[in-house]
Amino acid sequence: MLRLTNWGGAGEDNDYDRLVKDLYRRFERDHPGVRLKIENIPGEYVPKMLLNFVAGTQPEVMVLDASSAAVFVNNGLLTDLRPFVESDPEFDLGDFYPNVVDIARRGDKLYAIPIDFTPMVVYYNKDLFDKAGVPYPDPNWTFAEFFEIAQKLTIPAKDPGLPPVQYGFVFTNWMPAWVMWLWNNGGDVLSPDGSKATGYLDSDPNVETLTFLRDLVKRHKVAPSLSEMQAMGADPFVHGKAAMVVMGHWALTGYKNAPKDGSGKPLIDWERLGVAHLPHNTPEPHTVFYEAGLAIPKDCNHPEEAWEFIRYWTSAEVQRVYNSSGIAVSARKDISRERAADPIEAQFLPIVPSARPPYGSRVESYEIVENVGRSMIDSILNNDVPVREALRRAASRIDREFAKR
Amino acid sequence: MSLLRRRESRLGWLFVAPATLHLVVFALFPMGFALYISLFKWRLFKDSPEFVFLQNYVWSFTEGPFWNALWNSFRYTAVSVPAGMAVALGVALLVNQKLRGVTIFRTLYYIPAISSGVAVSMLWIYVFLPETGMLNLLLRMIGVSSIAFLQDSTWAMWALAFMSIWTGLGPKMVLYLAGLVGIPQSLYEAAELDGAGKLRSFWSVTLPMLAPTTIFVLITSTIGAMQVFTPVYMMTKGGPENSTDVVGYHIYTEAWVNFNTGLASAKSFVLLVIIGGISLLQFRLMRRQLEGYSAS
């Protein structure tokens, strides 16, 4: 019996779930006597998994989310997979993107094999660009150029009292979707060792970056305010009401099934989506990828079978089928290249090398930082707290949280 | 002691044993253990807790966000409890009428109490939606512009308190109803003979006779309100800008996001002492109301 824990709800009977179930069945057929028991955990994955460890009921295989991997990797809760990798003639780490594999590397130890990942990118709606006669983003666009484009793509309402009928950009307070802006202006969140925010989060480049983002929303109104977003109740981009948005690869599934207008035509044409690097004032663009990998908990009952499953699941054959759902970029170079036959998928590949692992893969309880970050944006956008002050407060709050450990 | 008495008392112990055992295993032991770990710097999955004695308690009191959480709980309690009690009493008076089909209404008002807190919270997210939510549609009819109840830090807490009036209505109403039924009819007749109107007899008969019920409802509601968690977790996650970060949610975050198990336990005991103090104070203040009261 092989227990596998993953996040997610009870399976629906959609194509993706059926496809995954088939792959599980195939593994059972190839390994007589092994029964897979899949446990999908709908919420609070990290605490529930930790309790499994505390109670000694850890599964054989766990899906490890890069954003919260640190607590498992740093506390010795996982098995070093290097011996398995080295003694397995058919398994080659070289098949995977090195920077994605590195997420779970600590020194000469390796704690997870990546399945797939999703870099954060700018999606843009080519139809809206064409309509406004604006050229598509240059890969090396700066903040200023981004702003210019966003302004051109904002269409004010006829009645000046009403919000614009089309926005240039969509900004959210969700930190995983805006942290890259800091890096692209030479700023950062924490010190290089991940222990401190003061002196890093409240730096001058970050004041500049957040002032820029605040002005997009509040001063120039080229992006909807948080309450307008709430009122829309839906993503303006997918409704064709905004020209650009920063999101991960997972958003594509929603764009593919965009809502339709009265005549049954989708509000955005999936074929007419562009994918670009984030704008950057630094010489090189930066982004982050959120990734899922497979790990074997320490002291589980059947490590050998667990490895069997991992090599099966990360094999080209399985990934070819699994990745056809299109939710993420495969961590396998061969598969993601195959998928690049699709023009949209192809646009992701040049972005991969510029992506770094999320802080959550190194810093324990990074979720706290992201909560503070969301509050900070709220205070800047809703309560007019000066940017520098908001950053200073957030940094000292984060440091206080870290000091408790 | 006679043999019979002894046998009876043994039988009595036998009867209370299951409940007592349950209490010891599932309440007293965990509480004792929590008190024990509140003296340690303890990260759940670390093998080596460090004994720090009262440092966690000292830390709690010097921590701004914890004070903020306490203040939020007080705000919530101070509004939701009196409002909830007033509405519940009003509804109890209504469904205390001798009308046909009044039991249907009693049932309807009680339904929120037996619904899952999670489901109810999801429902109210829709009620509070800006622009399209039910509440905002009503406000628009009277010409008030849209309010983003759960996204605006001035409104979020009051929105949750407003919702609690509805969710907490059932049990409070039933308690008041029981209290109302217990008031002898002769008192109303006497009041009427003395020339008291409806309002006067409510003020001079109903309210004083409900004093014990009121104390009970007040104390239990206060305890419940100080421990509020589900709607905050479901609807606001303590936001916007920590304006709804109540103590219950704050402790949860400390334990399950930060994994500072020891500190979270210490904060739980701080909350216990505070709730105990408030209950005692309420009891003291209400005691005068109870003097001379007899249910005979």
Side-chain angles (χ1 to χ4, degrees), chain A residues 202-400:
Chain A
D202 50 359
S203 64
D204 289 346
N206 286 354
V207 173
E208 199 180 279
T209 306
L210 283 173
T211 306
F212 172 81
L213 292 167
R214 181 198 63 191
D215 290 349
L216 287 182
V217 176
K218 292 194 71 138
R219 215 169 109 201
H220 309 294
K221 298 195 167 47
V222 299
S225 71
L226 297 179
S227 60
E228 276 166 349
M229 292 265 289
Q230 284 292 340
M232 292 179 210
D235 170 13
F237 185 82
V238 83
H239 282 81
K241 292 258 176 280
M244 298 184 282
V245 66
V246 172
M247 262 303 158
H249 192 289
W250 66 81
L252 284 174
T253 47
Y255 300 158
K256 231 177 201 160
N257 305 308
K260 299 178 171 57
D261 63 9
S263 64
K265 196 168 133 291
L267 292 168
I268 56 170
D269 183 352
W270 146 261
E271 304 281 330
R272 303 277 299 140
L273 284 184
V275 177
H277 278 294
L278 267 89
H280 46 103
N281 294 339
T282 48
E284 291 296 319
H286 301 276
T287 191
V288 57
F289 46 40
Y290 298 111
E291 170 263 7
L294 291 174
I296 305 180
K298 258 232 167 71
D299 308 323
C300 75
N301 298 330
H302 313 287
E304 300 295 331
E305 287 82 355
W307 174 252
E308 278 297 312
F309 179 80
I310 291 182
R311 60 184 295 222
Y312 165 80
W313 201 254
T314 55
S315 66
E317 295 72 43
V318 172
Q319 279 306 302
R320 190 168 292 123
V321 180
Y322 177 77
N323 203 257
S324 64
S325 70
I327 197 153
V329 184
S330 176
R332 290 188 67 98
K333 292 186 234 171
D334 46 2
I335 302 299
S336 56
R337 272 192 216 115
E338 279 174 32
R339 301 264 311 145
D342 178 317
I344 291 176
E345 294 292 343
Q347 297 180 72
F348 274 85
L349 296 192
I351 296 177
V352 174
S354 68
R356 57 166 98 175
Y359 265 121
S361 64
R362 293 194 292 120
V363 179
E364 283 177 40
S365 306
Y366 185 71
E367 198 187 325
I368 283 285
V369 176
E370 293 181 332
N371 291 344
V372 172
R374 191 188 55 223
S375 276
M376 177 182 77
I377 296 290
D378 287 348
S379 70
I380 292 170
L381 290 183
N382 294 343
N383 290 359
D384 300 321
V385 176
V387 171
R388 190 177 291 277
E389 174 61 16
L391 281 163
R392 207 188 45 72
R393 271 191 227 164
S396 69
R397 173 81 201 264
I398 291 165
D399 285 348
R400 260 198 87 81

Side-chain angles (χ1 to χ4, degrees), chain A residues 44 75 364 368 401 404, chain B residues 43 46 233 252 254 258:
Chain A
E44 308 299 335
N75 290 298
E364 283 177 40
I368 283 285
E401 293 293 341
K404 292 175 185 175
Chain B
R43 310 234 330 132
K46 290 263 203 294
Y233 174 80
Y252 167 85
E254 194 67 85
N258 272 344

